[in-house]
């Protein structure tokens, strides 16, 4: 059959495009298009090559792995090729994979698969000789990678010397280096504050960190690793199944993904996919799918390989977290502290499991750095519970008519001047509480879950209450002339029963700890931990208000430096704020639980200097309640487990944090032990 000219041309065009994107992704760590768009191009090429096999060439991107090794790193030849994985994008494609496996094995009973999440990081091969780490290399083109040993050595969780008594003379392990989500968010936040370039996603941040010439940069990046397989080895017997190999690797001291397990048949593969998918946003790291591997190594050998991937494994992809769409307009949102944030109004796009039509551009600096214009095609990202953001512009698709975005001179809500001090990334509305947008946000923060926790009093209701003039400050919520069951029931989409429930929540919120109250006030840069430290040190409002007159004395409180002290001082110097506090704490207002006498030296507290992670479901209190108690006693809370964690408090179904703590040998406290620790 002769191949139509248009198909021939399309194949050439697709190969050119894919090669270009391979280079951007694998070699430059700077992809221009989201993975899903790349996958579409790749799939289209593969389908054309399947339809017209005469077009298939050895050098087609469908037959090769990754990109070329970069010159600035010494080349490392992999003694066993580092392959890629085939992808399945649907249950049907997974079913077809399973059927191919059954057919090749001439088997009808279900195949056992070792399954684990596919981390969105960078593949690495690490070689140990006589138990000592000697070289670590990227995948490169699968045959030759780049020597990044100096950077891999900075990964704390990776053993530099193998554990155990029988040390293999040679062992090459393969795995994925990744950046935990919390570390990634913190890194980008810091970059934004410094006006520096941010990373598009954790995978880019990982690749960018591993490809540093100077290892001190990588050492500052929160990199981690899971090992998922073995390359060459000598002087060690390996067991006959992949799952048992993972156990051996864990015994040698390697971090292995705690979510790995063995399932039987394709239905159990799909169950696992659903379960991990449901927990995707709660994991400490980003995953983009699940990898299924035939568990029996003899069966793996029988199945063998195709050009670029094993026949015995497949990656089942999750819905994309990044997509392409177009910027229709840029609007401005005014936050609690007056920060004016550009928000892109997008052509609606399905990404991260929902339809997204707005995405943050963070601040003017970032908008300018990314050079986002109205009409641009952009990559939008929605990962987990993080608000959608515009990651980058696809400059190749920019239209002539694309319009630059200018910071408005006046606040779009209250008309006050907008100012952006020299060198600052954030522009602010100068209207203060005159600006209804700032008032609304201040009230929303005040009632939010970690503050007063007034259930049912959501964002839309507060907008209505402020717009109608019913409330102007947080104190008005507790004024029955302004907010009562009848007035609430009169609002849009508000049933009588819900109005009564809200009134009950308002009542219940009147008993509040001093720390939560301080957090609820929304003082700039005073988060939960700082609020709790202030509460512990000053015990009550009287002594804090007095201390706020002398900003230096505030700096005796842990974590408070001159900048935050100045914000606190400024807050308590404003007449308006003092009036609202007086109304809130006066007759008929809140019942503030102050601690007295105040503890003057925070070092005296029971848990001072100790770092905690709380995970799983506790019976006698909520997780937030447990965290509050720890902070009240001077302890620090972190989201993820590291070697700096002192205790992991765990309830039921604790998940990966528990496993990680076990691995790192960190003290584990069940609920009974935790309650005992809290006893005076
Ligand atoms: O790129 C990969 C990610 C995760 C892999 C992989 C994996 O297992 C959890 N396994 C193999 C065999 C390969 N790539 C080639």
């Amino acid at each position: 059959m002769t191949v139509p000219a248009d198909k021939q041309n399309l194949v050439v065009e697709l190969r050119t495009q894919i090669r270009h994107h391979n280079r951007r992704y694998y070699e430059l760590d700077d992809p221009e298009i989201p993975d899903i768009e790349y996958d579409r191009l790749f799939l289209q090429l593969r389908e054309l090559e399947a339809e017209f096999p005469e077009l298939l060439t050895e050098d087609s991107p469908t037959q090769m792995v990754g990109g070329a090794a970069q010159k600035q790193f010494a080349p490392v030849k992999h003694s066993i090729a580092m392959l890629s994985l085939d992808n399945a994008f649907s249950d049907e494609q997974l079913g077809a994979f399973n059927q191919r496996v059954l057919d090749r094995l001439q088997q009808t009973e279900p195949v056992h698969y070792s399954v684990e999440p596919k981390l969105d990081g960078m593949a690495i091969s690490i070689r140990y000789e006589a138990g000592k780490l000697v070289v670590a290399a990227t995948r490169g083109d699968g045959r030759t990678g780049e020597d990044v040993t100096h950077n891999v050595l900075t990964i704390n969780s990776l053993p530099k010397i193998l554990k155990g008594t029988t040390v293999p003379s040679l062992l090459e392990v393969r795995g994925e280096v990744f950046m935990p989500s919390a570390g990634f968010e913190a890194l980008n936040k810091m970059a934004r504050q410094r006006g520096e370039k941010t990373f598009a996603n954790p995978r880019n941040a990982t690749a960018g960190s591993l490809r540093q010439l100077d290892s001190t940069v990588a050492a500052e990046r929160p990199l981690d690793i899971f090992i998922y397989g073995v390359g060459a080895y000598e002087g060690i017997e390996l067991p006959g199944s992949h799952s048992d190999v993972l156990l051996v690797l864990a015994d040698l001291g390697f971090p292995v993904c705690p979510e790995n397990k063995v399932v039987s048949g394709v239905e159990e593969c799909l169950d696992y996919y659903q379960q991990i998918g449901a927990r995707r946003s709660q994991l400490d790291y980003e995953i983009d799918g699940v990898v299924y591997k035939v568990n029996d190594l003899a069966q793996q050998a029988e199945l063998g390989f195709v050009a670029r991937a094993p026949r015995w494994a497949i990656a089942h992809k999750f819905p994309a977290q990044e997509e392409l769409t177009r910027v229709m307009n840029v609007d401005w949102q005014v936050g609690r502290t007056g920060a004016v944030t550009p928000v892109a109004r997008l052509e609606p796009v399905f990404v991260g499991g929902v339809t997204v039509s707005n995405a943050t551009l963070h601040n003017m600096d970032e908008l300018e750095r990314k050079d986002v214009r109205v009409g641009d095609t952009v990559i939008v990202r929605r990962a987990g519970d993080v608000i959608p953001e515009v990651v980058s512009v696809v400059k190749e698709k920019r239209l002539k008519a694309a319009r630059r975005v200018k910071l408005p001179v006046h606040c779009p809500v209250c008309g006050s001047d907008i100012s952006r001090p020299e060198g600052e990334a954030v522009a602010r509305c100068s209207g203060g509480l005159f600006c209804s947008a700032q008032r609304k946000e201040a009230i929303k923060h005040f009632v939010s879950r970690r503050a007063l926790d007034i259930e049912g009093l959501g964002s839309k209701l507060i907008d209505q209450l402020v717009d109608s003039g019913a409330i102007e400050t947080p104190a008005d919520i507790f004024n029955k002339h302004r907010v009562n069951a009848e007035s609430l029931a009169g609002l849009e989409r508000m049933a009588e029963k819900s109005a009564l429930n809200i009134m009950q929540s308002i009542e219940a919120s009147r008993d509040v700890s001093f720390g939560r109250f301080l957090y609820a006030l929304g003082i700039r840069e005073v988060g939960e931990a700082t609020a709790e430290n202030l509460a512990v040190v000053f015990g009550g409002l009287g002594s804090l208000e007095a201390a706020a007159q002398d900003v230096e004395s505030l700096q005796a409180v842990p974590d408070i430096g001159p900048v935050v002290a100045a914000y606190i001082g400024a807050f308590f110097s404003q007449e308006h704020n003092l009036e609202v506090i007086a109304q809130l704490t006066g007759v008929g207002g809140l019942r503030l639980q102050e601690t007295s006498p105040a503890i003057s030296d925070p070092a005296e507290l029971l848990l001072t200097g100790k770092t905690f992670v709380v995970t799983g479901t506790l019976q006698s209190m909520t997780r937030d309640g447990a965290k509050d108690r720890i902070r009240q006693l001077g302890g620090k809370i972190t989201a993820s487990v590291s070697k700096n964690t002192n205790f992991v408090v765990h309830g039921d179904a604790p998940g990966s944090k528990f496993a990680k703590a076990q691995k790192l040998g960190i003290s584990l406290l069940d609920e009974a032990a935790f309650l005992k620790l809290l006893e005076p």
Side-chain angles (χ1 to χ4, degrees):
M1 179 173 63
T2 53
V3 182
D6 61 333
K7 302 284 186 197
Q8 292 191 34
N9 292 340
L10 184 55
V11 164
V12 171
E13 169 62 16
L14 283 168
R15 283 183 187 151
T16 309
Q17 282 192 36
I18 292 171
R19 284 191 189 110
H20 168 76
H21 292 304
N22 275 349
R23 191 171 136 66
R24 302 286 311 209
Y25 180 105
Y26 290 108
E27 297 172 26
L28 304 180
D29 301 329
D30 189 18
E32 273 171 7
I33 54 171
D35 291 1
I36 183 102
E37 187 71 8
Y38 177 88
D39 290 340
R40 283 182 201 123
L41 296 173
F42 197 89
L43 206 65
Q44 201 184 353
L45 177 60
R46 218 166 54 177
E47 281 172 2
L48 280 166
E49 288 174 347
E51 193 182 346
F52 305 107
E54 52 273 61
L55 291 184
L56 188 60
T57 57
E58 244 177 47
D59 69 346
S60 169
T62 59
Q63 308 301 302
M64 305 171 92
V65 172
Q70 291 295 87
K71 300 264 181 312
Q72 61 267 44
F73 299 99
V76 176
K77 203 159 163 27
H78 300 303
S79 49
I80 294 182
M82 266 188 99
L83 297 177
S84 183
L85 284 176
D86 260 347
N87 291 322
F89 295 97
S90 65
D91 295 1
E92 290 70 33
Q93 288 177 357
L94 178 68
F97 161 79
N98 180 56
Q99 195 55 53
R100 287 196 298 275
V101 168
L102 286 169
D103 291 348
R104 277 201 172 251
L105 295 176
Q106 297 185 321
Q107 174 178 321
T108 47
E109 65 271 23
V111 176
H112 287 103
Y113 290 103
S114 171
V115 298
E116 60 184 287
K118 185 172 186 302
L119 272 83
D120 205 2
M122 194 165 180
I124 200 93
S125 178
I126 310 167
R127 186 176 169 96
Y128 290 78
E129 287 174 5
K132 188 166 177 289
L133 192 162
V134 289
V135 68
T138 63
R139 173 150 47 196
D141 65 3
R143 284 184 293 269
T144 307
E146 299 150 321
D147 186 340
V148 289
T149 313
H150 57 300
N151 292 327
V152 168
L153 283 170
T154 68
I155 302 175
N156 288 327
S157 60
L158 184 74
K160 314 304 178 290
I161 306 272
L162 296 183
K163 253 175 49 181
T165 42
T166 47
V167 168
S169 49
L170 167 69
L171 181 67
E172 258 177 33
V173 292
R174 267 108 198 242
E176 195 90 357
V177 179
F178 62 95
M179 189 174 285
S181 310
F184 167 73
E185 296 298 338
L187 192 67
N188 265 1
K189 188 171 171 198
M190 207 153 67
R192 235 170 251 130
Q193 279 167 354
R194 292 179 181 162
E196 293 168 0
K197 192 170 182 283
T198 51
F199 287 105
N201 51 46
R203 198 231 8 255
N204 263 25
T206 306
S209 306
L210 275 185
R211 285 225 178 86
Q212 292 287 331
L213 292 173
D214 175 0
S215 66
T216 56
V217 180
E220 283 173 5
R221 304 272 168 83
L223 295 177
D224 208 337
I225 189 167
F226 283 144
I227 299 300
Y228 56 65
V230 170
Y233 62 95
E234 283 166 18
I236 184 174
E237 290 270 316
L238 287 183
S241 70
H242 181 72
S243 52
D244 286 343
V245 169
L246 292 180
L247 292 176
V248 170
L249 289 170
D251 283 345
L252 289 166
F254 290 109
V256 171
C257 180
E259 305 289 344
N260 80 76
K261 70 187 248 189
V262 177
V263 302
S264 171
V266 75
E267 278 77 24
E268 288 188 20
C269 285
L270 289 173
D271 282 350
Y272 180 83
Y273 178 86
Q274 295 296 344
Q275 282 163 22
I276 285 282
R279 288 176 37 225
R280 185 179 182 188
S281 64
Q282 283 130 274
L283 296 175
D284 299 340
Y285 38 80
E286 284 219 345
I287 60 176
D288 60 353
V290 166
V291 180
Y292 313 106
K293 294 177 181 170
V294 171
N295 195 34
D296 186 312
L297 297 188
Q299 289 187 329
Q300 283 192 7
E302 201 177 328
L303 288 158
F305 302 87
V306 285
R308 67 195 289 278
R311 281 204 195 86
W312 40 264
I314 197 157
H316 190 182
K317 291 298 208 65
F318 284 134
Q321 296 193 325
E322 290 182 5
E323 254 296 4
L324 284 182
T325 188
R326 197 194 296 273
V327 177
M328 310 299 285
N329 206 350
V330 172
D331 281 345
W332 303 90
Q333 234 165 34
V334 184
R336 176 164 58 87
T337 59
V340 176
T341 306
V343 178
R345 306 291 179 209
L346 305 170
E347 215 165 75
V349 62
F350 192 74
V351 58
V354 296
T355 300
V356 168
S357 37
N358 304 310
T360 183
L361 288 156
H362 294 289
N363 57 49
M364 205 53 208
D365 244 19
E366 190 138 323
L367 183 149
E368 283 166 357
R369 206 173 325 109
K370 289 179 179 163
D371 187 18
V372 178
R373 303 184 191 179
V374 174
D376 271 347
T377 298
V378 292
I379 299 180
V380 60
R381 172 179 159 82
R382 182 189 180 271
D385 302 326
V386 180
I387 48 174
E389 63 170 346
V390 172
V391 171
S392 59
V393 174
V394 185
K395 293 268 168 61
E396 291 66 29
K397 296 196 181 213
R398 173 164 284 164
L399 305 172
K400 274 230 167 64
R403 178 164 54 81
R404 282 179 197 276
V405 179
K406 280 213 217 83
L407 179 70
V409 179
H410 299 294
C411 171
V413 178
C414 72
S416 304
D417 289 349
I418 288 179
S419 64
R420 185 181 172 205
E422 253 322 288
E424 281 204 15
V426 178
R428 283 180 204 280
C429 158
S430 58
L433 290 178
F434 169 72
C435 177
S436 69
Q438 293 188 48
R439 274 205 312 273
K440 283 175 184 170
E441 293 309 313
I443 297 170
K444 286 173 196 175
H445 173 77
F446 190 82
V447 306
S448 64
R449 196 167 64 83
R450 294 175 182 282
L452 270 271
D453 192 17
I454 304 183
E455 219 176 299
L457 199 51
S459 173
K460 294 232 163 66
L461 275 184
I462 290 171
D463 287 348
Q464 288 186 64
L465 288 168
V466 173
D467 288 340
S468 69
I471 61 173
E472 287 175 17
T473 74
D476 295 339
I477 294 169
F478 299 93
N479 180 338
K480 294 232 171 70
H481 299 294
R482 287 174 175 265
V483 178
N484 52 52
E486 292 80 56
S487 68
L488 284 176
L491 298 175
E492 248 174 61
R493 273 176 282 157
M494 174 60 58
E496 216 168 282
K497 179 87 181 80
S498 317
L500 285 171
N501 286 344
I502 293 177
M503 289 311 295
Q504 267 178 9
S505 305
I506 292 176
E507 275 316 304
S509 76
R510 286 182 196 265
D511 291 297
V512 60
S513 73
F514 183 41
R516 263 185 188 251
F517 173 75
L518 284 179
Y519 171 66
L521 290 177
I523 305 166
R524 253 177 98 177
E525 299 297 330
V526 176
E528 283 172 283
T530 307
E532 201 53 60
N533 287 342
L534 284 166
V536 165
V537 172
F538 294 104
L541 255 179
S543 40
L544 175 58
E545 282 180 4
Q549 317 232 339
D550 164 22
V551 165
E552 257 176 37
S553 72
L554 293 172
Q555 292 184 44
V557 178
D559 292 341
I560 294 186
V563 174
V564 181
Y567 286 144
I568 299 169
F571 184 91
F572 284 102
S573 71
Q574 289 204 13
E575 203 52 46
H576 169 85
N577 291 336
L578 298 179
E579 254 171 52
V580 172
I581 291 174
Q583 284 170 12
L584 276 168
T585 53
V587 182
L590 302 175
R591 291 180 289 267
L592 214 53
Q593 297 152 12
E594 298 179 313
T595 54
S596 66
I599 294 163
S600 56
D601 181 1
E604 285 170 14
L605 288 168
L606 186 64
L607 304 182
T608 297
K610 298 281 184 277
T611 300
F612 286 73
V613 170
V614 184
T615 179
T617 310
L618 300 168
Q619 300 303 323
S620 63
M621 62 181 92
T622 62
R623 263 207 304 275
D624 281 341
K627 290 178 189 173
D628 279 350
R629 286 294 291 137
I630 291 168
R631 288 197 193 98
Q632 281 160 5
L633 293 171
K636 194 172 149 195
I637 301 288
T638 58
S640 54
V641 178
S642 74
K643 65 177 191 341
N644 299 325
T645 310
N646 298 104
F647 296 100
V648 170
V649 178
H650 60 94
D652 295 338
S656 63
K657 294 182 189 177
F658 180 81
K660 183 157 182 193
Q662 271 184 321
K663 206 174 312 154
L664 294 179
I666 287 161
S667 300
L668 293 161
L669 299 175
D670 62 13
E671 190 160 348
F674 174 56
L675 292 173
K676 197 144 182 43
L677 183 74
L678 299 182
E679 282 170 12

